[in-house]
Amino acid sequence: MSMLKLPGLGNMVEVISKERNLPKHAVQNALREALLKGYEKFRKTYRTEEINFDEEYFENFDVELDIENEGFRVLATKTILEEVDNTDHQISLAEVREVAPEAQAGGTVVVDVTPEQNDFGRMAAIQTKQVLAQKLRDQQRRLIQEEFQDLEGTVLQGRVLRFENSSVVMAVSSGFGQPEVEAELPKREQLPNERPYRPNSTLKVYLKKVYEGSRRGPQLMVSRADAGLVVYLFANEVPEIEDEVVRIVAVAREANPPSYASYAVGPRTKIAVDTLERDVDPVGACIGARGARIQSVVAELRGEKIDVIRWSPDPATYIANALSPARIQEVRLINAEERQAHVLVPDDQLSLAIGKEGQNVRLAARLTGWKIDIKDASKYDYAEEDRKAREEEARRQALAQEEEEEEMEEIEEVDETEEELEEVEV
């Protein structure tokens, strides 16, 4: 069998494997696909007859690498026929019987169609090189997707490599002894209180997304701003959470305050915890002796403010707890269906309940799922607010009644139309 020489083939596979963190078989597969594309270019350039090369034309061709002898062969699987219409796909029975007398029409045979060394051509070589680069990138994407798909939503150790525009490119690994791959930390997923990032500094990052398909740049997106990172850090610091004695019910995090907020408003998190054990204080377990546990989490998040509050099945109690550290006088559930609540606080607690530029009440609303309206208890008019609530409830019921009547009219119109059609048919 003939062979096209590729001097240094074994060394090339080894070097590419190390540089791109790819197993050798993946590099060889990419090289085989690239060489086949190069052969396709050769055949199209030097065709001797009018042929329509469609997408499936070369499906019966394959490339065989010979690492030991540093070369490759092109093989074609051809159908044995009495009369041949296409020599790329078919071979005559008479020709096959010269080497295999027992051959029968309708069978298949693998034929060596490797071109001569000088015939392969410069254009085919360029095509091979271009396709190889693309196939290697595809192999890397595929391996990264397979390696990290199950780790989406977990926390990894990341190392800062470089900066691209406003993003940080980090090196992460799926486990001990595994090679590092690049991940992108976009600006919106960064913490403003820890910028600028220092090269080679290490951080815990939340694996937010594994990109699928072709994409320029890293295949992984990581985050320092996701609430999942806070959950992981607490679970790592608090044994009661890992043992499921204490559970995290909800988390509301504002790692990047809104654009209208001033620099005085920094990152802040509220986390609601609960337990079924009567002798366990879930908030105390998360804070730890002298605040040791929560301080470890705060240190990892570069000083981010964290409020740990007790979850309650009673909405009023839960809302009051969520507005910590403000002291709440009363919580009035104005509209339970639309989850609207008025929170009455003493005059000296107003600013604390609202928080800097509304951050405290904003996070409390997100944590509880209720629309919270902070009111000054000394100026609150119970009668007027009750009247407004009754009017709003009456308006809502009237709208609901109108919608119900419209639906009934539509149903009646449909019924009348069906009756008319039945009469026409009769």
Side-chain angles (χ1 to χ4, degrees):
M1 296 178 76
S2 56
M3 184 175 71
L4 274 173
K5 285 288 186 180
L6 286 176
L9 174 60
N11 185 55
M12 179 181 71
V13 170
E14 187 116 12
V15 168
I16 293 174
S17 175
K18 287 180 180 177
E19 285 181 351
R20 295 184 176 254
N21 289 326
L22 287 170
K24 289 180 184 179
H25 70 82
V27 177
Q28 291 176 18
N29 287 340
L31 183 55
R32 268 194 293 267
E33 292 182 51
L35 288 167
L36 186 56
K37 287 293 181 184
Y39 177 77
E40 290 179 20
K41 184 71 175 180
F42 157 76
R43 280 289 289 113
K44 291 174 182 177
T45 304
Y46 296 100
R47 62 177 179 264
T48 56
E49 54 205 74
E50 283 300 320
I51 299 174
N52 179 27
F53 293 107
D54 57 27
E55 290 183 6
E56 299 176 354
Y57 189 86
F58 291 96
E59 281 191 353
N60 64 310
F61 288 80
D62 197 10
V63 166
E64 180 185 80
L65 286 181
D66 190 333
I67 302 294
E68 187 176 341
N69 294 309
E70 298 188 332
F72 72 96
R73 300 177 185 86
V74 182
L75 306 174
T77 302
K78 298 185 179 183
T79 304
I80 304 169
L81 296 174
E82 294 279 358
E83 294 183 8
V84 174
D85 296 325
N86 185 319
T87 55
D88 282 331
H89 297 160
Q90 302 158 359
I91 189 169
S92 70
L93 178 60
E95 187 179 348
V96 176
R97 279 184 172 172
E98 289 179 8
V99 292
E102 72 281 2
Q104 297 293 326
T108 59
V109 62
V110 177
V111 181
D112 185 351
V113 294
T114 309
E116 293 295 325
Q117 192 83 27
N118 294 333
D119 291 344
F120 194 62
R122 179 172 170 273
M123 292 302 294
I126 291 173
Q127 176 82 355
T128 300
K129 187 176 180 180
Q130 291 173 343
V131 173
L132 177 60
Q134 179 62 47
K135 294 297 179 184
L136 287 172
R137 285 195 293 271
D138 291 344
Q139 288 281 4
Q140 282 183 302
R141 290 192 192 100
R142 197 175 300 117
L143 287 173
I144 289 171
Q145 288 167 10
E146 290 173 359
E147 183 181 356
F148 287 89
Q149 204 75 59
D150 293 338
L151 294 176
E152 205 170 77
T154 63
V155 172
L156 307 171
Q157 189 76 10
R159 179 170 57 86
V160 176
L161 292 178
R162 62 183 185 276
F163 309 96
E164 292 183 359
N165 300 323
S166 58
S167 294
V168 178
V169 177
M170 308 188 76
V172 298
S173 171
S174 62
F176 181 75
Q178 295 297 314
E180 291 182 327
V181 301
E182 290 187 350
E184 180 189 7
L185 179 66
K187 185 178 180 180
R188 66 181 181 278
E189 302 296 340
Q190 299 170 16
L191 295 181
N193 55 326
E194 64 184 11
R195 288 196 290 257
Y197 292 91
R198 292 180 293 106
N200 290 318
S201 60
T202 57
L203 302 162
K204 288 183 174 68
V205 290
Y206 182 82
L207 180 55
K208 193 162 187 176
K209 186 174 182 63
V210 179
Y211 291 105
E212 295 183 0
S214 59
R215 179 183 186 270
R216 295 188 65 181
Q219 291 298 109
L220 310 177
M221 183 177 77
V222 295
S223 173
R224 288 281 291 169
D226 196 278
L229 179 60
V230 179
V231 172
Y232 167 85
L233 293 173
F234 269 103
N236 200 47
E237 287 292 332
V238 183
E240 289 88 345
I241 293 177
E242 195 165 345
D243 296 339
E244 298 183 354
V245 174
V246 172
R247 65 188 181 107
I248 296 173
V249 181
V251 181
R253 190 179 186 202
E254 194 171 84
N256 287 291
S259 56
Y260 56 77
S262 67
Y263 287 106
V265 181
R268 188 171 182 176
T269 295
K270 285 183 180 288
I271 180 168
V273 294
D274 189 34
T275 182
L276 296 176
E277 301 290 334
R278 302 186 69 177
D279 298 331
V280 175
D281 174 14
V283 175
C286 292
I287 293 173
R290 298 182 181 179
R293 291 175 176 175
I294 196 171
Q295 283 307 315
S296 295
V297 177
V298 169
E300 174 61 37
L301 299 177
R302 305 298 188 266
E304 182 170 326
K305 290 182 180 178
I306 299 176
D307 301 324
V308 181
I309 65 110
R310 178 72 185 263
W311 178 82
S312 172
D314 173 45
T317 304
Y318 187 26
I319 291 168
N321 292 346
L323 286 164
S324 172
R327 191 176 72 255
I328 306 305
Q329 182 171 309
E330 184 184 351
V331 176
R332 302 193 74 207
L333 306 180
I334 299 299
N335 188 329
E337 190 169 322
E338 295 188 7
R339 298 173 74 85
Q340 294 177 338
H342 286 178
V343 178
L344 281 54
V345 298
D347 182 60
D348 62 344
Q349 297 291 304
L350 267 174
S351 59
L352 192 60
I354 296 169
K356 288 181 180 177
E357 300 184 31
Q359 188 183 55
N360 193 55
V361 68
R362 196 161 55 238
L363 283 172
R366 203 180 303 166
L367 187 75
T368 60
W370 281 73
K371 298 173 186 176
I372 300 173
D373 196 358
I374 305 292
K375 302 284 188 180
D376 185 342
S378 62
K379 299 176 182 178
Y380 191 78
D381 188 333
Y382 283 84
E384 179 62 17
E385 294 297 339
D386 287 344
R387 184 189 64 78
K388 288 180 183 177
R390 286 193 298 271
E391 287 180 358
E392 180 62 27
E393 178 62 19
R395 187 187 67 82
R396 191 184 63 77
Q397 289 183 357
L399 285 173
Q401 181 67 28
E402 284 179 17
E403 289 176 1
E404 189 177 336
E405 288 173 357
E406 287 176 1
E407 287 178 6
M408 290 300 295
E409 287 176 4
E410 288 176 3
I411 292 170
E412 288 173 1
E413 287 176 5
V414 170
D415 289 343
E416 287 174 5
T417 304
E418 288 178 351
E419 287 175 4
E420 291 173 359
L421 288 171
E422 287 175 0
E423 289 175 3
V424 170
E425 288 175 2
V426 171

